[in-house]
Amino acid sequence: MPTGVAIRDVREQLFDAAECVLLRDGPSALTSRAVTTEAGCAKGVLHRHFADFEGFLAELVLDRIARIDSRAATLRGLAGTSTVADNLTGALTELFGSVAVAIVSLVTSRDDLRARLRLARPTGVPVLTDAATVIAAYLTAERELGRIPADADVDTLAPTLIGAAHMLFADRKGTPPEPGAVHKVVTTVLALPATTGRVAEQDAGTHRTERE
C-alpha cells in the first residue's frame, strides 16, 4: 500500500478479505499473504494489528459470532408473526447462506485456531453453538405464545435444526438448497404441518369447538 494512504477500518477490511479468500478458495488457502493481497495492502499491515495470523483468525471467528448474536433480537421479534416454519426457514437460510459454513470448516481444520478459541469459548462448536442458542431463544418465545407445543424441548430442537441445516448447506458445491428443502427440514424436525407450522393454533381451535 502506498505510504500516506490510510486504510478505512483496517480490521474490517482484513476480515472481509479473509472471508473472500475462504469462500472462494477454502480454508487451506487462507494465509496472511492471501488475506493482505485480497485486501490490497502490505503484509505488514496485518501484523501491526494482530499478534500473529492465528490470533487474526480467532478474532475473525469471534467477530462473525458476534454478528450471529446480534441477530437474536431480530429473530425473537418475529415470534407471533408469519409462521414458525417460515421464520425459521428464513433464519437458517440467512445464517448458512453466509460465511457460517466456511467458518466452521476453518475452525475444524486448524488445531491452533481451535485452541485459541477455547480460551474465549471453552465449550461447543463456534458458530454452530451460538446459532443454536439464537434458535432456542426464538423457539422459547413461540412456545410462550402457544405456537409450538408447551412441552417442546427447545434445547434439543434448536441444535437438531442447526445440525440438519448445516448438513443441507454443507453438502452443496456453489449451489444453495432450495427454500423448500430448508422448509422441509424445519417442519420435519419440529413435526409441524408443512402448510402453516401452527400446530398449537389448530389445537386451540379444536378446544374452542369442544367448548361450544
Side-chain angles (χ1 to χ4, degrees), residues 46-70:
L46 188 150
H47 294 288
R48 282 201 297 271
H49 291 81
F50 301 91
D52 54 34
F53 190 57
E54 294 301 324
F56 165 76
L57 293 178
E59 290 294 331
L60 167 66
V61 174
L62 293 173
D63 181 81
R64 277 21 187 182
I65 287 174
R67 291 187 178 188
I68 293 173
D69 293 343
S70 70

CSV table of all heavy atoms in Angstrom, one decimal, residues 46-70:
chain,number,residue,atom,x,y,z
A,46,LEU,N,-1.3,-6.4,8.5
A,46,LEU,CA,-1.9,-7.4,9.3
A,46,LEU,C,-1.2,-7.6,10.6
A,46,LEU,O,-1.8,-7.6,11.7
A,46,LEU,CB,-2.1,-8.7,8.6
A,46,LEU,CG,-2.9,-9.8,9.2
A,46,LEU,CD1,-3.6,-10.7,8.2
A,46,LEU,CD2,-2.1,-10.7,10.2
A,47,HIS,N,0.1,-7.7,10.6
A,47,HIS,CA,0.9,-7.9,11.8
A,47,HIS,C,1.0,-6.7,12.7
A,47,HIS,O,1.4,-6.8,13.8
A,47,HIS,CB,2.3,-8.5,11.4
A,47,HIS,CG,2.2,-9.8,10.7
A,47,HIS,ND1,1.8,-11.0,11.4
A,47,HIS,CD2,2.3,-10.2,9.4
A,47,HIS,CE1,1.8,-12.0,10.6
A,47,HIS,NE2,2.1,-11.6,9.4
A,48,ARG,N,0.7,-5.5,12.2
A,48,ARG,CA,0.6,-4.4,13.0
A,48,ARG,C,-0.6,-4.3,13.9
A,48,ARG,O,-0.7,-3.6,14.9
A,48,ARG,CB,0.7,-3.1,12.2
A,48,ARG,CG,2.1,-2.8,11.7
A,48,ARG,CD,2.3,-1.3,11.3
A,48,ARG,NE,1.4,-0.9,10.2
A,48,ARG,CZ,1.8,-1.0,8.9
A,48,ARG,NH1,3.0,-1.5,8.6
A,48,ARG,NH2,1.0,-0.6,8.0
A,49,HIS,N,-1.6,-5.0,13.4
A,49,HIS,CA,-2.9,-5.0,14.2
A,49,HIS,C,-3.2,-6.3,14.9
A,49,HIS,O,-4.1,-6.3,15.8
A,49,HIS,CB,-4.1,-4.7,13.2
A,49,HIS,CG,-4.0,-3.3,12.6
A,49,HIS,ND1,-3.3,-2.9,11.6
A,49,HIS,CD2,-4.7,-2.2,13.0
A,49,HIS,CE1,-3.4,-1.6,11.3
A,49,HIS,NE2,-4.3,-1.2,12.2
A,50,PHE,N,-2.5,-7.4,14.6
A,50,PHE,CA,-2.7,-8.7,15.3
A,50,PHE,C,-1.3,-9.3,15.6
A,50,PHE,O,-0.4,-9.1,14.8
A,50,PHE,CB,-3.5,-9.6,14.4
A,50,PHE,CG,-4.8,-9.1,13.9
A,50,PHE,CD1,-5.0,-8.3,12.8
A,50,PHE,CD2,-6.0,-9.3,14.7
A,50,PHE,CE1,-6.2,-7.8,12.4
A,50,PHE,CE2,-7.2,-8.8,14.4
A,50,PHE,CZ,-7.3,-8.0,13.2
A,51,ALA,N,-1.3,-9.9,16.7
A,51,ALA,CA,0.0,-10.5,17.2
A,51,ALA,C,0.5,-11.5,16.2
A,51,ALA,O,1.8,-11.6,16.0
A,51,ALA,CB,-0.2,-11.1,18.6
A,52,ASP,N,-0.3,-12.4,15.7
A,52,ASP,CA,0.1,-13.4,14.7
A,52,ASP,C,-1.2,-13.8,13.9
A,52,ASP,O,-2.3,-13.3,14.1
A,52,ASP,CB,0.7,-14.6,15.4
A,52,ASP,CG,-0.2,-15.2,16.5
A,52,ASP,OD1,-1.4,-15.2,16.3
A,52,ASP,OD2,0.4,-15.7,17.5
A,53,PHE,N,-1.0,-14.6,12.9
A,53,PHE,CA,-2.1,-15.0,12.0
A,53,PHE,C,-3.2,-15.8,12.7
A,53,PHE,O,-4.3,-15.6,12.4
A,53,PHE,CB,-1.5,-15.7,10.8
A,53,PHE,CG,-2.5,-15.9,9.7
A,53,PHE,CD1,-3.2,-14.8,9.1
A,53,PHE,CD2,-2.9,-17.1,9.2
A,53,PHE,CE1,-4.1,-14.9,8.1
A,53,PHE,CE2,-3.9,-17.3,8.2
A,53,PHE,CZ,-4.5,-16.1,7.7
A,54,GLU,N,-2.8,-16.7,13.6
A,54,GLU,CA,-3.8,-17.4,14.3
A,54,GLU,C,-4.7,-16.5,15.2
A,54,GLU,O,-5.9,-16.7,15.3
A,54,GLU,CB,-3.2,-18.6,15.1
A,54,GLU,CG,-2.5,-19.6,14.3
A,54,GLU,CD,-3.4,-20.4,13.4
A,54,GLU,OE1,-4.6,-20.6,13.7
A,54,GLU,OE2,-3.0,-20.7,12.3
A,55,GLY,N,-4.0,-15.5,15.7
A,55,GLY,CA,-4.8,-14.5,16.5
A,55,GLY,C,-5.7,-13.7,15.6
A,55,GLY,O,-6.9,-13.4,16.0
A,56,PHE,N,-5.3,-13.4,14.4
A,56,PHE,CA,-6.2,-12.8,13.4
A,56,PHE,C,-7.4,-13.6,13.1
A,56,PHE,O,-8.5,-13.2,13.1
A,56,PHE,CB,-5.4,-12.5,12.2
A,56,PHE,CG,-6.3,-12.1,11.0
A,56,PHE,CD1,-6.9,-10.9,10.9
A,56,PHE,CD2,-6.5,-13.0,10.0
A,56,PHE,CE1,-7.7,-10.6,9.8
A,56,PHE,CE2,-7.3,-12.7,8.9
A,56,PHE,CZ,-7.9,-11.5,8.8
A,57,LEU,N,-7.1,-14.9,12.9
A,57,LEU,CA,-8.3,-15.8,12.5
A,57,LEU,C,-9.2,-16.0,13.7
A,57,LEU,O,-10.4,-16.0,13.5
A,57,LEU,CB,-7.7,-17.2,12.1
A,57,LEU,CG,-6.9,-17.2,10.8
A,57,LEU,CD1,-6.4,-18.6,10.6
A,57,LEU,CD2,-7.8,-16.7,9.6
A,58,ALA,N,-8.7,-16.0,14.9
A,58,ALA,CA,-9.5,-16.1,16.1
A,58,ALA,C,-10.4,-14.9,16.2
A,58,ALA,O,-11.6,-15.0,16.5
A,58,ALA,CB,-8.7,-16.3,17.4
A,59,GLU,N,-9.9,-13.7,16.0
A,59,GLU,CA,-10.7,-12.5,16.0
A,59,GLU,C,-11.7,-12.5,14.9
A,59,GLU,O,-12.8,-12.0,15.1
A,59,GLU,CB,-9.7,-11.3,15.9
A,59,GLU,CG,-8.9,-11.1,17.1
A,59,GLU,CD,-9.7,-10.7,18.4
A,59,GLU,OE1,-10.7,-10.1,18.2
A,59,GLU,OE2,-9.2,-11.0,19.5
A,60,LEU,N,-11.4,-13.0,13.8
A,60,LEU,CA,-12.3,-13.1,12.7
A,60,LEU,C,-13.5,-14.0,13.1
A,60,LEU,O,-14.7,-13.6,12.9
A,60,LEU,CB,-11.6,-13.7,11.4
A,60,LEU,CG,-12.6,-14.2,10.3
A,60,LEU,CD1,-13.3,-13.0,9.7
A,60,LEU,CD2,-11.8,-14.9,9.2
A,61,VAL,N,-13.2,-15.1,13.6
A,61,VAL,CA,-14.3,-16.0,14.0
A,61,VAL,C,-15.2,-15.4,15.1
A,61,VAL,O,-16.4,-15.4,15.0
A,61,VAL,CB,-13.8,-17.4,14.6
A,61,VAL,CG1,-14.9,-18.2,15.1
A,61,VAL,CG2,-13.0,-18.1,13.4
A,62,LEU,N,-14.6,-14.8,16.1
A,62,LEU,CA,-15.3,-14.1,17.2
A,62,LEU,C,-16.2,-12.9,16.7
A,62,LEU,O,-17.3,-12.7,17.1
A,62,LEU,CB,-14.4,-13.7,18.3
A,62,LEU,CG,-13.7,-14.8,19.1
A,62,LEU,CD1,-12.6,-14.2,20.0
A,62,LEU,CD2,-14.7,-15.6,19.8
A,63,ASP,N,-15.6,-12.2,15.7
A,63,ASP,CA,-16.4,-11.1,15.1
A,63,ASP,C,-17.6,-11.6,14.4
A,63,ASP,O,-18.7,-11.1,14.5
A,63,ASP,CB,-15.5,-10.4,14.1
A,63,ASP,CG,-16.2,-9.2,13.5
A,63,ASP,OD1,-16.3,-8.1,14.1
A,63,ASP,OD2,-16.7,-9.3,12.3
A,64,ARG,N,-17.5,-12.7,13.7
A,64,ARG,CA,-18.6,-13.3,12.9
A,64,ARG,C,-19.6,-13.9,13.9
A,64,ARG,O,-20.8,-13.9,13.7
A,64,ARG,CB,-18.2,-14.3,11.9
A,64,ARG,CG,-17.7,-13.7,10.6
A,64,ARG,CD,-17.3,-12.3,10.6
A,64,ARG,NE,-17.0,-11.7,9.3
A,64,ARG,CZ,-16.6,-10.5,9.1
A,64,ARG,NH1,-16.5,-9.7,10.1
A,64,ARG,NH2,-16.4,-10.0,7.9
A,65,ILE,N,-19.1,-14.5,15.0
A,65,ILE,CA,-20.1,-14.9,16.0
A,65,ILE,C,-20.9,-13.8,16.6
A,65,ILE,O,-22.1,-13.9,16.9
A,65,ILE,CB,-19.3,-15.7,17.2
A,65,ILE,CG1,-18.8,-17.0,16.6
A,65,ILE,CG2,-20.1,-15.9,18.4
A,65,ILE,CD1,-17.9,-17.8,17.6
A,66,ALA,N,-20.2,-12.7,16.8
A,66,ALA,CA,-20.9,-11.5,17.4
A,66,ALA,C,-22.1,-11.1,16.4
A,66,ALA,O,-23.1,-10.6,16.9
A,66,ALA,CB,-20.0,-10.4,17.6
A,67,ARG,N,-21.8,-11.2,15.1
A,67,ARG,CA,-22.9,-10.9,14.2
A,67,ARG,C,-24.1,-11.8,14.3
A,67,ARG,O,-25.2,-11.4,14.2
A,67,ARG,CB,-22.4,-11.0,12.8
A,67,ARG,CG,-21.3,-9.9,12.4
A,67,ARG,CD,-21.0,-9.9,11.0
A,67,ARG,NE,-20.0,-8.9,10.6
A,67,ARG,CZ,-19.7,-8.6,9.4
A,67,ARG,NH1,-20.2,-9.3,8.4
A,67,ARG,NH2,-18.8,-7.6,9.1
A,68,ILE,N,-23.8,-13.1,14.6
A,68,ILE,CA,-24.9,-14.1,14.8
A,68,ILE,C,-25.7,-13.7,16.1
A,68,ILE,O,-26.9,-13.7,16.1
A,68,ILE,CB,-24.3,-15.5,14.9
A,68,ILE,CG1,-23.8,-15.9,13.6
A,68,ILE,CG2,-25.4,-16.5,15.4
A,68,ILE,CD1,-23.0,-17.3,13.7
A,69,ASP,N,-24.9,-13.4,17.1
A,69,ASP,CA,-25.6,-13.0,18.4
A,69,ASP,C,-26.5,-11.8,18.2
A,69,ASP,O,-27.5,-11.7,18.8
A,69,ASP,CB,-24.5,-12.7,19.5
A,69,ASP,CG,-23.8,-14.0,19.9
A,69,ASP,OD1,-24.3,-15.1,19.6
A,69,ASP,OD2,-22.7,-13.8,20.5
A,70,SER,N,-26.0,-10.8,17.3
A,70,SER,CA,-26.8,-9.6,17.2
A,70,SER,C,-28.1,-9.9,16.4
A,70,SER,O,-29.1,-9.1,16.5
A,70,SER,CB,-26.0,-8.6,16.3
A,70,SER,OG,-25.8,-9.0,15.0
